[in-house]
Amino acid sequence: MFDSSSSEKILKDLRDEVKRYPIGVKLPSNRELVKRYQASAGTVSRAIAALAAEGLVDAVPGSGVFRARERAKRPGTMDCSWQEVSLNAEPGGLPATVRHDAASLLAYLQTPPPGAMDLASGYPHSSLQPEQALSSAHARAGRRPGAWTRPPVEGIAELREWFARDIGSAPSPSDVLICAGGQSALVCTLRSLAQPGAAVLVESPTYPGVLAAARAAGLRPVPVPVDADGVRVELLAKAFTSSGAGVFVCQPLFQNPTGATLAAERRAPVLEAARAAGAFVVEDDFVRRLGHGAPLLAPLVEDDQDGRVVHIHSLTKATSPNLRIAALVARGAAFERLRTAQVIDNFFVPKTLQETALELVGSPAWPRHLRSLAAELRERKELAVAALGEHLPEFEVTLVPKGGYHLWLRLPEDSPAETDVVASARRAGVLVTAGGPYFASEPSARFLRLSYAAAPSAAGVRDGVRRLAEGWRSVGAS
């Protein structure tokens, strides 16, 4: 059994001891150290590994561990200012078209400080994840024959077949490409379907990862407003015409951040607008398994008659941030282009990860988990809405969605800046997300996004809203 306090004591003793050794002198063997400290071999090995990481010892396989030579110290500061020119200058004095900006994504991935209530993260809390089922699935996957052999670049056949069935009747397994999560699929799709410098239509507001991926690919995001029924189709057709865009990225189900679902009567006009423009529709179906029990409309790809919809279908949100498995569905030449991009970027998704996903979704625990998750998310949403009405009636809940994990809150017109509200909330012990990064251009108002899935419990959601109200009052809101 690993004992962290024992390991720390051994590490401290050995660190002091090694410094008295001449360079190149061999340390006592692991067996001798185990006997000396009455510790496990694993505990001693961890201490030796820590010394090696500090540069104090060199471990030579088959020979032992030796006092290392002193390594040259790096200068305290390094002048990297030349990189500003190298990374941004282009021939002919043209402005750079590629922008690498992950600030909004890093906000999604931040680790909450101790004691803070997380109402910002896009991933469900570990208490909502099927950890035991995942561990069992991973163990079974590792024992499958050929689990450690190289998989086909498109993905293992059984998983492609499962995704095709799960999505609906339209895709065939040969249309499915397995990717390392939804964000990877988005990046691959945008880089493959649009040329640098081109416009790409996005919902407004939209998931910041779409904007970051588009700009990193040298694309120009053009916003198309969303209301409670999804993208406004009359403005979508106009945006296609005025921008010349060949790609529209949307989230028709429980859109991030608004929670809107594309209304049934808007589905055909969306596809018709894309058809008239000769454009692709990228359907990011990231949260289908986070419905709250109500019947859901089929994916937009089910209405696709000519290979116009490229569909992204991820397992990550409903399982774990570490199960980065998604399906990318495309037909015709688009599939070949996406497949090529996937091979260039990643070769393939690790087979053991694919096998783990297959074991999980084929187990009796999977439907049980989805039912439990739906019930828990519905309860949390209702508690969040009630707590906002009690503690922050001046915040407008723009829509109460029938699924997903977040609420989109409009702040009063005379509110302080979003960044001030977010900072004040953090000081009060709760993390929320500012609305500005969700817009491709100037925001229409001031917003916050509140995630009710990231808290450790339903009671934590209610407490987080109370803390948010405290932070709001402290910035002088009336």
Side-chain angles (χ1 to χ4, degrees):
M1 187 78 173
F2 173 59
D3 183 339
S4 60
S5 61
S6 176
S7 181
E8 290 169 5
K9 178 183 184 305
I10 295 170
L11 178 59
K12 182 180 182 302
D13 287 353
L14 291 180
R15 188 184 288 123
D16 294 338
E17 182 176 331
V18 165
K19 291 176 181 177
R20 298 193 296 269
Y21 280 47
I23 291 171
V25 170
K26 185 177 179 180
L27 272 67
S29 69
N30 280 27
R31 181 178 298 176
E32 292 171 326
L33 293 174
V34 165
K35 186 176 181 180
R36 179 199 297 181
Y37 291 104
Q38 295 295 299
S40 70
T43 299
V44 169
S45 294
R46 287 181 177 88
I48 295 296
L51 292 175
E54 294 173 11
L56 293 175
V57 299
D58 289 324
V60 180
S63 298
V65 179
F66 302 84
R67 170 70 192 275
R69 295 182 180 277
E70 290 190 11
R71 292 165 171 78
K73 293 184 178 180
R74 291 184 177 182
T77 58
M78 186 180 294
D79 183 7
C80 298
S81 57
W82 63 272
Q83 294 182 3
E84 294 183 41
V85 175
S86 181
L87 292 174
N88 294 288
E90 291 192 357
L94 297 175
T97 57
V98 175
R99 286 176 52 195
H100 291 92
D101 182 4
S104 57
L105 296 182
L106 291 171
Y108 269 70
L109 302 172
Q110 64 180 314
T111 301
M117 189 62 63
D118 186 0
L119 301 185
S121 173
Y123 294 110
H125 188 265
S126 58
S127 62
L128 299 180
Q129 298 170 18
E131 290 187 337
Q132 184 174 352
L134 275 169
S135 296
S136 298
H138 187 262
R140 293 194 303 271
R143 295 193 298 268
R144 280 192 169 203
W148 297 95
T149 61
R150 177 176 62 82
V153 296
E154 302 87 356
I156 59 177
E158 297 89 343
L159 188 57
R160 298 173 76 195
E161 291 168 0
W162 180 85
F163 267 116
R165 291 194 307 271
D166 192 62
I167 291 167
S169 59
S172 71
S174 60
D175 300 327
V176 175
L177 180 68
I178 303 301
C179 296
Q183 184 67 23
S184 176
L186 271 173
V187 171
C188 176
T189 301
L190 289 173
R191 286 179 47 229
S192 300
L193 301 185
Q195 297 296 318
V200 57
L201 304 187
V202 299
E203 294 171 316
S204 182
T206 191
Y207 164 52
V210 172
L211 302 177
R215 288 165 177 155
L219 306 176
R220 179 169 54 90
V222 175
V224 185
V226 169
D227 62 20
D229 291 322
V231 67
R232 294 177 55 185
V233 289
E234 77 282 6
L235 297 179
L236 177 66
K238 181 178 180 180
F240 270 127
T241 301
S242 61
S243 69
V247 177
F248 168 49
V249 184
C250 61
Q251 294 177 331
L253 187 65
F254 311 138
Q255 195 254 4
N256 185 7
T258 66
T261 291
L262 184 66
E265 62 271 17
R266 293 190 183 184
R267 292 163 66 99
V270 165
L271 295 179
E272 183 53 42
R275 187 173 295 110
F280 288 96
V281 175
V282 178
E283 179 184 26
D284 182 11
D285 199 20
F286 72 112
V287 75
R288 178 162 294 273
R289 293 177 184 82
L290 270 63
H292 298 172
L296 304 178
L297 290 173
L300 198 59
V301 71
E302 287 286 275
D303 299 339
D304 184 24
Q305 300 298 317
D306 55 0
R308 194 160 304 281
V309 177
V310 174
H311 178 86
I312 299 172
H313 200 66
S314 174
L315 281 175
T316 304
K317 292 291 187 188
T319 55
S320 163
N322 293 298
L323 191 67
R324 305 210 61 76
I325 291 288
L328 189 53
V329 175
R331 284 83 164 225
F335 179 88
E336 292 304 322
R337 183 166 292 191
L338 292 166
R339 177 178 178 271
T340 299
Q342 165 86 346
V343 170
I344 291 170
D345 284 350
N346 300 308
F347 283 3
F348 48 80
V349 176
K351 190 175 183 183
T352 49
L353 200 60
Q354 295 187 57
E355 296 279 14
T356 296
L358 197 57
E359 287 282 354
L360 176 68
V361 299
S363 72
W366 178 238
R368 290 199 300 268
H369 164 67
L370 293 181
R371 288 193 297 270
S372 172
L373 181 62
E376 180 70 20
L377 289 176
R378 183 171 60 249
E379 179 187 2
R380 288 172 176 232
K381 175 190 66 180
E382 292 168 355
L383 278 173
V385 172
L388 286 163
E390 178 184 353
H391 297 291
L392 287 165
E394 58 269 57
F395 283 21
E396 178 190 352
V397 180
T398 60
L399 175 69
V400 180
K402 296 180 180 179
Y405 56 89
H406 54 269
L407 297 172
W408 188 233
L409 311 176
R410 184 194 298 266
L411 302 183
E413 290 185 4
D414 59 349
S415 75
E418 293 172 351
T419 51
D420 292 340
V421 177
V422 170
S424 181
R426 188 182 182 93
R427 290 192 293 272
V430 61
L431 305 183
V432 290
T433 311
Y438 293 81
F439 291 88
S441 60
E442 296 81 5
S444 57
R446 290 176 176 170
F447 296 91
L448 296 179
R449 197 197 74 158
L450 183 151
S451 168
Y452 47 79
S457 65
V461 174
R462 187 168 49 236
D463 182 54
V465 172
R466 180 188 59 76
R467 297 186 195 189
L468 175 60
E470 291 177 5
W472 168 252
R473 308 291 179 230
S474 73
V475 289
S478 58

